[in-house]
């Protein structure tokens, strides 16, 4: 089975997480994942970008340690690494999501 590389929790860097979440599309992906109990396939996200650009956004989030991606058949399933990020940077994700929701209101 094909595996994707993810940083270990102690190796997640604040600058990488903040850079990944600075993009509105990537923040949207992370926010949507925060509301999901199950892993979500990339194709379930209706993003206003091309498929190749969406793949780039998912890769940036994975490499920063914001999401975990795993192959399930031919689909790549995504989940938010909320526990890992909370352990590494307490309160960061919630602050980002609160700010995003306030901006949308």
């Amino acid at each position: 089975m094909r595996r994707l590389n993810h940083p270990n929790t102690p190796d997640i860097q604040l600058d990488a997480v903040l850079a990944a979440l600075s993009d509105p599309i990537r923040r949207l992906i992370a926010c949507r994942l925060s509301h999901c109990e199950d892993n979500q396939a990339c194709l379930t996200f209706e993003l206003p970008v091309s498929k190749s650009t969406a793949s780039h956004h998912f890769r940036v989030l994975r490499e920063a340690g914001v999401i975990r991606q795993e192959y399930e058949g031919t689909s790549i399933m995504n989940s938010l690494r909320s526990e890992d990020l909370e352990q590494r940077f307490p309160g960061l994700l919630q602050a980002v999501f609160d700010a995003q929701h306030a901006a949308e209101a």
Side-chain angles (χ1 to χ4, degrees):
M1 176 192 285
R2 186 172 171 201
R3 291 192 159 302
L4 298 166
N5 292 325
H6 300 84
N8 295 321
T9 303
D11 298 328
I12 297 173
Q13 299 297 311
L14 180 60
D15 288 344
V17 172
L18 292 175
L21 293 173
S22 69
D23 183 275
I25 298 293
R26 293 192 288 262
R27 244 188 349 269
L28 175 67
I29 292 168
C31 284
R32 285 187 187 167
L33 285 172
S34 73
H35 297 297
C36 299
E37 291 184 22
D38 297 326
N39 294 347
Q40 298 294 308
C42 294
L43 297 175
T44 63
F45 292 84
E46 293 180 17
L47 301 173
V49 295
S50 68
K51 184 177 177 181
S52 63
T53 301
S55 294
H56 165 76
H57 287 305
F58 281 102
R59 181 179 53 81
V60 169
L61 288 167
R62 176 177 45 83
E63 290 177 351
V66 177
I67 65 171
R68 179 167 304 282
Q69 292 186 304
E70 296 175 346
Y71 277 95
E72 203 171 281
T74 59
S75 297
I76 297 178
M77 303 302 287
N78 302 279
S79 61
L80 187 66
R81 292 181 65 179
S82 52
E83 290 178 14
D84 294 337
L85 290 168
E86 184 63 25
Q87 175 186 341
R88 189 82 171 104
F89 310 111
L92 176 66
L93 271 185
Q94 191 58 53
V96 169
F97 297 151
D98 289 347
Q100 180 66 31
H101 294 309
E104 292 171 354

